[in-house]
Each structure stands twice: as structure tokens, then as C-alpha cells.
Amino acid sequence: IDILQKKLGIPIQKISSRTGEGIAELKHFIRHPKEWKRKEGADFYRPNEIEKELAQKVGETLGNKNTYQSLLTAHHYHWLESIGEEEKQNIKAAREQVQFKELNAQVEETMARYDQFTPILQQAVVHQKKEGRITLSDRMDAVLTHSIFGPFIFLLVMTFIFQAIFSWASYPMDLVDGSFGWLSEQVSSLLPAGWFTDLLTEGIIAGFGGVVIFVPQIAILFFLIGLLEEVGYMARVAYIWDRFMQFFGLNGRSTVALISGGACAIPAIMSARTITNRKERLITILVTPFISCSARIPVYTVLIGFVVPSTLVFGIFNLQGIAFLGLYLLGIIGGGLVALLLKYWVKSEERSFLALELPPYRMPSWRNVLLSTWGKVRSFIIEAGKIILGISIILWFAASYGPGDQLAQAEAATVIEAEAQNLSESQTANLIASKQLEASYAGHFGKFIEPVIRPLGFDWKIGIAILTSFAAREVFVSTMSTIYNIGSAEEDEMLIRDRMAQELRPGTDRKVYSAATSLALLVFYVFAMQCMSTVAVIRKETGGWKWAIWIFMISLFLAYFGAMLVYQLLA
């Protein structure tokens, strides 16, 4: 520490975010900057003539006299929100005018820092082990980063994660479902009958509860991924897959972004900023939405139950968990095909390279893992909750009211039909609810779009759910919860998946959610970019609508024709 302070001319404080060591002292330095003074002339990078000229031009554009700050801006102006489009165009023109080579400059700047700091570190670092000694991390890396064993172990780890999502989450999911059922009953008993009570029980509680029930699965996913990050395994994953990723025009850092996409595409896309090669960064951004995010978990969970039985394979693997992994792999395959297309379409002369640190394996900080899991689950609930609340209210209104007196006419006609068929009171109530829903605003809209989605095996109710879920994928389940809960009290007590399983096509005894329809719907949600927030962040990160619209249309094309192919082959 003394050598570093003397050579660098600034105070040095050891800190650890894991243990809290040195944090109080660091805060003291920040609060009392006048107690120390930086050594004069301690500049560790000296720009060349081209960079000096570029820094001067950028400084004139931004009114900035700091050379190094101007150079940083010249490097990263694409992502800076603090400067306007006109200033960005001026910086771009200045880079072209001085023939600024960004990759060369980054390498030179990095090497200049290493040339300055390496001798200092060699004097300051105390080696507590003999040179050449093989550590435990080295022994583990010999297996975990092996060209054959490494990918195989990674696939086993991911298989375990998806098994855990189905096996461990069943009990808390039942608890959450029972809690929302109890809440709906209490609200119905405490409040007088009327439109407001119906809105709360059939709209808001049913819609929100239809998504919150899947929070245990999402929490398990985030917890296990966070655990892998804490122990140092995720950096090895980037190293393992680097050569494979280069075949698709990506690199190892893309792996980190794509795995992060399993939680949410938005921060994963933004994390691609660490990829210096523009072509690889662009391909990573456009491929990330094909990785199934946590918002798809509710959709997958409901629909897999209609296709795959909950049985064990080899006595340990849940068949539904294997199907879950298969859906993720299908999304990865689709993303790989799009990446290959972009690899040969997008032209770039920049060379690809990967530089990253493999930290030593260590015991995880459980506090960090739990805080990270809680933060992501909380964000999911709040962000999804705002969208679900708005859509549930709109959808409840659209499904509860209709043009003119069509709902009253539908009820009168249904009563006559029920008497003719000698239906029970419960059957009559269910039939009335179904006919009134068909006559509502939502029913009219669903019927309007039904011809477009009929070749996929989807009915008008599924069409409504698909359209509402363009706001967010998880809204599909809450929409179904709202639609199917607008009925008798007996239906309100059913799980949404049980209610969907009983749905029959009009005039037939064929189930709506057959294996063919459910598989087609799963394929549709694997590929479709059902998230407007993702489209918006792609537009922001790529600097325009061109690539955002392009990838949206490509994903919609794959989703529509992939689902149609599956249904037509299996129906």
C-alpha cells in the first residue's frame, strides 16, 4: 500500500464489498478530499497527434477543455445520453476527418496503462505462494473449461436449473394460488355485488394473481444463476463458448449477455456495450431477444402441462423440465440462425478479440445472492404489475360490456337454448358467460382477427391474449385469467390451467388446448418478440428504428410460420 501511494501520488484504501472492510475509510476520503492532494504530473496516458487533434475538435463541440475526457467521449459517444444527436454527428465527422481508428487507439491506450502500472505493481505485490504452484482453481479449470467436458458440464448445470424450476416451485405456487383465491373470496363477501366488485375479483385480482403465481419459479431461476455468478463460474462460461460463438459472428462476452437474457432481455441488451467490436455488439443485441426470458416462464408452464405429462425419466429427470429446456434450446437455435444471417450481411473490418479475467473460485456471499434475487423478483412484480393492472382493467371492461344490448340478447337466447337442452343451473350460468363474452367488445375484436390466426389453431380468445401480451409476454396468462374468470363463481375457484384445459371448441367435443394447438402456441412464444420495451431498448442501443423494426418483423415471421407448421403437421 505504501509503495502504491508513493508511486501514484494518491491515497490507497483496501476495500471489500463482500466483507465491508475499508468502506468506512473510503467514505472518509470521499467526504474530505482536501486532506489529500494528487501528485502533480501523474498522467498515465499521453495521446498521439491524431488523438490530440480529435480531442481538440470534440472539446470545441462540447465546450470541454479536458483532453482525456474529450477522448473518452470520442470513443463512447454512441451510448452517451448527455449529448444531443447534432453533437454526436459532429463527433462522428471529427473522427472521420482525422482518420481515427478506434480499435487501434483502445489497444494503445490499454498498453500505455499497462506499461505505466505493471512496474509499479511488480514492486508493490507480495507473492505469498511459490511460482508455478497449481492452485485449486487451476485444477477445477482443467475440467470445467475443458474443450469437451466444459460444454457438457454446462449443459448438465442448465438441466439441473430447469429441473429445479419445476420440482421445487410446486408447493409455493400452490400457496400463492390459494392466497389469491382466498383474497378473491374475501373481497366478494365483504363488498356489495356490482361492477366495482367484479372489476376487483374478475379483473385485477384474477389477472395479477395469474402471473404472481409463477414468482417462485422466477425466484429459483434468479437465485441459481446468481449463485453461479458468485462462485466465479459465469466467467468460465464466456471462455468456454468463445470459439463456438465466433462461428455465429459473436464472441465470449456475448455469452454473458445471452445468459443474462434468460432473466430479462433489456439489461442483457444494454450489457452488450462491453463488446468493443461493433458488428459483434449489433448481432448480440439483435439475437438476445430469442433467449427465453423469465416473462415467458408463466406461458411455458401453463402450456407445457397440456402437452407433456409430469413423469420422471431415469427416475430423476422431470419430463416437463426437459421440455422446458427444449424450449430454451429452440430459441437459441432460432437466434443462431439469425446470427449467421447477420454475420454475412453486416460488413465490418474490425477484428474480434476476447480479454477477460477468470476470478478464483470462492464461496458465494449469500447476502449478495439473496439481495440480487429479491431485487430482480421485485422488479419483475412491479414492472409486470403496472402493465397487468392497466390491461386487466381495460380487458375486464371490454369483456364485460358490448355494443348496444347485444349482451342482453345473448343472455335471453342462451336461456332458451339451455331450457331446450335441459341444462343444470351451473351449466346454464357457464353457457351464458361464454355467449356474453362472445358478444362483448373483446369478443367482437377477437372474432375480427380470428381468420388471421386460425391456420395456427388459435381461437379468438387466444388472439386477444396474443395481442395484449405484446405489451409484455407474461400478460398472456393474466389475460386468460381475466377472460376465463368472467363467469360463474364455480369457475373462479379453478386454477387457470384447469379452466383452460376444459375449454372446448364451439359445437364440438374437441379441446381448444390440444397438443397441436399448445405446441404451436409454445413455438409462437419462443420466437415472437412479445415485448415493446425490448423493441424500444433495441432502437435506443442501435441508434434508430431500422434494426428494431427488422428484428421485430423477423421474429414475428419465425413465430407465425413456425407455429403454423407445427399445428398443420400435428392437427
Side-chain angles (χ1 to χ4, degrees), residues 253-254 256-273 275 284-285 288-289 291 537:
R253 287 192 181 276
S254 303
V256 178
L258 296 178
I259 292 175
S260 300
C264 179
I266 294 172
I269 288 170
M270 295 176 71
S271 72
R273 295 177 182 181
I275 302 172
T284 303
I285 288 171
T288 297
I291 306 302
V537 81

Side-chain angles (χ1 to χ4, degrees), residues 237-403:
V237 172
Y239 171 74
I240 292 168
W241 294 103
D242 178 56
R243 183 174 297 179
F244 179 76
M245 287 291 179
Q246 287 184 15
F247 175 76
F248 295 96
L250 303 165
N251 77 18
R253 287 192 181 276
S254 303
T255 310
V256 178
L258 296 178
I259 292 175
S260 300
C264 179
I266 294 172
I269 288 170
M270 295 176 71
S271 72
R273 295 177 182 181
T274 60
I275 302 172
T276 56
N277 185 292
R278 289 187 184 178
K279 178 178 177 179
E280 293 175 344
R281 183 167 64 239
L282 175 64
I283 297 176
T284 303
I285 288 171
L286 298 181
V287 168
T288 297
F290 286 97
I291 306 302
S292 293
C293 65
S294 58
R296 287 180 169 109
I297 290 178
V299 184
Y300 290 174
T301 303
V302 168
L303 296 175
I304 283 176
F306 298 139
V307 184
V308 182
S310 181
T311 56
L312 292 180
V313 179
F314 303 120
I316 53 173
F317 295 114
N318 186 308
L319 198 59
Q320 292 183 340
I322 295 174
F324 209 99
L325 177 61
L327 293 173
Y328 273 73
L329 292 176
L330 181 61
I332 292 170
I333 292 170
L337 294 175
V338 172
L340 277 176
L341 174 65
L342 291 167
K343 176 183 177 181
Y344 295 106
W345 186 10
V346 180
K347 304 299 180 184
S348 175
E349 296 180 359
E350 293 182 71
R351 294 183 61 188
S352 172
F353 66 92
L354 174 68
L356 57 87
E357 178 187 4
L358 298 183
Y361 293 101
R362 59 193 178 190
M363 288 298 294
S365 168
W366 296 105
R367 178 178 178 274
N368 288 352
V369 174
L370 293 174
L371 283 177
S372 174
T373 303
W374 163 244
K376 290 176 179 177
V377 170
R378 179 174 174 272
S379 175
F380 173 82
I381 294 174
I382 292 174
E383 294 303 316
K386 289 187 291 187
I387 298 172
I388 290 168
L389 179 62
I391 289 181
S392 294
I393 292 173
I394 295 170
L395 188 61
W396 173 84
F397 176 82
S400 300
Y401 298 92

